[in-house]
Every structure is written in C-alpha cells, then in structure tokens.
Amino acid sequence: MSNTFGQLFRLTTFGESHGEAIGGIVDGMPAGITVDMDFIQHELDRRRPGQSSITTARQEADRVELLSGVFEGKTTGCPIGFIVRNTNQHSSDYDNMRQIFRPSHADYTYHFKYGMRDHRGGGRSSARVTISRCVAGALAKLALRSMGISISAYTSQVGNIGLEYDYKHYDLHLTETNAIRCPDAEKAKEMIRLIEAVKADGDTIGGIITCVIKGCPAGLGEPEFGKLHAMLGAAMLSINAVKGFEYGEGFAGVQARGSEQNDTFLPTNPISTATNHSGGIQGGISNGQDIYFRVAFKPVATLLREQPTVDINGNEAMLTARGRHDPCVLPRAVPVVESMAAMTILDAWLMNKTVKM
C-alpha cells in the first residue's frame, strides 16, 4: 500500500531512476473522459529534465505509453496502465556512492530499512519517480476540466527572494513564460540569477511553490479524519524534498485576531464570503471559494562539492558527487504539485459523489 495513493481515484507506481522504466496503474478514472495525449505529454514535458540551464542536464524524452483503459480516445473506467521508458541513464556516475551515504539523502534510511539500496540516482527515492504522478495528475486534470475545476501552481519564493503579494495580484498564465515558473517577470530574473550563482558554487537551494484551485464546489472533504486540507497536506508532503505545507493564511494568520481572520458570509447565490483567509476550506470541507496553499521545498541533498560523511560500516569518508543534478527542484516540481492536487481533489469529488448516492 505504500506505493498506492488515493481512495477511489488510485495511483500505484513502480520503477526506479536507473531502471528500465517508470510507470503506474490508475484505477477509478471516470469513464467517458476524452484523453488528450498532447496535454498529457505537455504535463510530462513541464517536469522532464534538461529544460534549461537551471535544471539537471539529463536528457530524457519522457514519452508516455498508455497500455490500457482507453478505447477510441476515451477512458473506459477500467485501470489505465502506462510506462515512461528511461533512455539516458549514466549509472557509472554513481559508482563512488555504492558504499557511501549522501548527507540528508534517503541512502541511509533505505539501507537501514531494507538492508540494501539502489545507489544509482537514488533508485526508488529519486525524484524521477514523480513521472508517474504527472501522468496520473494529467488524467485527473482532464476529468476535473469537465467539471470546471482548474489548478495552477507557481514558484513564489527561491531562497530569500519571494513575491510580495498573494496569487490574486498576478496573471498566473505568465507562469510558463520563464524557466523558474514565476508569474512575476522581474522576480523571476532575480530567482534565476540566484540559482545560477548557487549552481556555480556546486551548491543547491530551496524555496516555496504556491498552488491555487479554482472552481472547486462546496462539500468536498470529510469532517473528522478525512479533512480536505489534511488530504492535500498528505499529498504534498509525499513529494520528494517537501518540508512544509500550509493553506489559507497559514502560519502568518496567528498574528491576527479572530475579528480580522473571520471570513464574513455574503447574501449571494450561492452564498460566498467577503474574504478568504480560510483558504477555501472550513471544518475540513471545501466552501466553494478558491483553495490556495504553499509547499516548502528543501535544497537538493546532492551537492557537487566535497562533503564529509560515513560509509556503510560507519567509517569516516569524504564524498564528491558526480552526475547530473538539479541545483533547485522548484521549476520541475510545479507540475508535480499540480498533479498531486488534481488527484486529491478528484478523489474527494468521487468520495463526495458516493456519499450522496
């Protein structure tokens, strides 16, 4: 079960960074949804390596092959199997890591849990495994599109360089116009310069991705242990390198009083609120307003500089990583955040539909 996400809309993934392929099985996809292969491939292209000077230089086409669950261009309601073949592995780049643990990486914990590990690119712990999430997320987006629900994520902070305003102040259609995927062109330039400087130093840096869900109907989520924000939080915290999640005003809201934070109801049809400090979720259930949240990503653990560490026997060692690595995961993580959000919302929508039947 640790390789399966979701309750009714379910994704089971398989594959490793340097294996034959990455793939998965999507179960619970609604029938009759038109499968736009160009759109699915576009979502993978947003995540694939080699996009720009601020991402890993690994070159992969990341072409997806749907194996089942689609007939005459539409989903059948049956499981959708898919694979994306690995074609540009440089496994020898990791030979010096076979007996050594990379600091703050999953090397030690995998070795301790399983008694062995795939040292090539991190194996199962590699961010390359998120390919499966983007395929399933693209399918979920196609289903949500038919319901009028849209999901947009963007880079809102890199290191100490962040956007000054919330999402309502920006044209989110501009997110894809620069390499860092930030809707503010000037801030994007600053972020890119910072990443380039960090990369030149053999170092890495983290940041924040903001995600906005529009058109989500009221009533999604359960009142106790299936709260919608808890589902979204669990989805985001399952992404490689994620260290934090907050929705609505989040931690900043603790500085305000209740009289400032409360979202006053308006006599509209349907009922709406004057503000949205709650982030579109109240009592764990969506209220029909925009859902927005932020996801914090740590700096990539693999540095292209010498680091002290230990080997598998606990002896002191020095590690200088080789290979092709991202100096910052944010540009390629934006579509992953959107995908996890799409799968979560579709899963909640299906559960809500079941409850009402």
Side-chain angles (χ1 to χ4, degrees):
M1 294 300 292
S2 62
N3 296 299
T4 299
F5 174 82
Q7 299 296 315
L8 297 182
F9 181 88
R10 296 163 64 87
L11 166 67
T12 300
T13 72
F14 65 85
E16 298 83 32
S17 177
H18 286 237
E20 290 297 317
I22 303 294
I25 298 175
V26 171
D27 204 359
M29 179 71 180
I33 302 297
T34 299
V35 177
D36 185 341
M37 288 302 298
D38 290 337
F39 173 75
I40 295 173
Q41 189 58 54
H42 172 68
E43 292 297 280
L44 281 180
D45 290 344
R46 295 171 68 210
R47 195 224 68 92
R48 74 175 181 83
Q51 295 180 40
S52 70
S53 62
I54 60 172
T55 64
T56 173
R58 180 171 177 171
Q59 293 295 323
E60 293 278 4
D62 285 355
R63 306 301 298 184
V64 62
E65 303 171 43
L66 299 188
L67 306 177
S68 62
V70 178
F71 179 66
E72 295 183 341
K74 292 185 181 294
T75 57
T76 64
C78 298
I80 300 175
F82 64 87
I83 59 170
V84 175
R85 300 182 188 276
N86 294 324
T87 61
N88 191 228
Q89 309 98 312
H90 289 182
S91 299
S92 60
D93 288 343
Y94 298 89
D95 285 349
N96 66 324
M97 302 180 191
R98 181 183 292 272
Q99 303 293 323
I100 293 178
F101 297 133
R102 286 172 290 179
S104 288
H105 209 284
D107 294 346
Y108 171 73
T109 51
Y110 268 58
H111 180 83
F112 189 87
K113 182 176 180 66
Y114 298 107
M116 61 180 297
R117 66 184 172 91
D118 184 348
H119 67 282
R120 304 167 303 165
R124 186 69 173 156
S125 68
S126 170
R128 184 155 179 75
V129 179
T130 60
I131 286 174
S132 298
R133 301 175 185 225
C134 286
V135 175
L139 290 167
K141 281 184 178 183
L142 290 174
L144 294 175
R145 180 190 293 176
S146 66
M147 306 170 196
I149 302 172
S150 65
I151 299 174
S152 302
Y154 60 92
T155 298
S156 54
Q157 185 170 334
V158 175
N160 61 354
I161 300 172
L163 299 184
E164 299 174 7
Y165 307 105
D166 67 22
Y167 72 94
K168 294 186 292 294
H169 288 78
Y170 301 98
D171 180 357
L172 300 189
H173 292 97
L174 299 177
T175 298
E176 296 294 317
T177 61
N178 53 71
I180 191 60
R181 294 196 161 91
C182 172
D184 185 314
E186 292 306 312
K187 284 290 185 180
K189 292 177 183 177
E190 294 181 40
M191 293 174 180
I192 291 171
R193 283 195 293 267
L194 174 58
I195 295 173
E196 290 174 338
V198 166
K199 179 182 178 181
D201 199 32
D203 215 333
T204 62
I205 197 162
I208 297 173
I209 289 175
T210 297
C211 187
V212 184
I213 304 171
K214 291 180 173 289
C216 185
L220 303 192
E222 304 303 321
E224 184 60 14
F225 297 113
K227 289 180 169 63
L228 185 58
H229 58 268
M231 293 172 65
L232 285 167
M236 298 307 142
L237 289 165
S238 75
I239 301 173
N240 309 55
V242 169
K243 288 293 186 179
F245 169 85
E246 62 175 358
Y247 75 103
E249 290 296 310
F251 288 103
V254 304
Q255 303 177 48
R257 299 188 178 190
S259 57
E260 299 170 308
Q261 281 284 296
N262 284 352
D263 296 319
T264 305
F265 288 109
L266 298 176
T268 55
N269 186 18
I271 294 172
S272 61
T273 56
T275 54
N276 188 20
H277 301 297
S278 300
I281 303 172
Q282 294 171 327
I285 301 172
S286 62
N287 65 4
Q289 305 303 305
D290 291 348
I291 296 172
Y292 62 95
F293 57 85
R294 289 163 295 279
V295 187
F297 286 79
K298 72 172 185 175
V300 177
T302 303
L303 310 183
L304 295 180
R305 55 159 67 176
E306 192 174 64
Q307 294 184 85
T309 186
V310 298
D311 63 21
I312 61 175
N313 297 311
N315 301 312
E316 292 183 356
M318 295 298 295
L319 171 67
T320 300
R322 299 192 296 267
R324 301 158 296 177
H325 305 280
D326 288 290
C328 178
V329 301
L330 297 177
R332 298 173 60 212
V334 165
V336 180
V337 167
E338 290 181 359
S339 293
M340 295 307 297
M343 286 190 281
T344 302
I345 294 299
L346 180 55
D347 198 26
W349 185 88
L350 290 169
M351 287 190 282
N352 195 54
K353 180 181 178 182
T354 302
V355 168
K356 290 182 177 180
M357 290 178 65

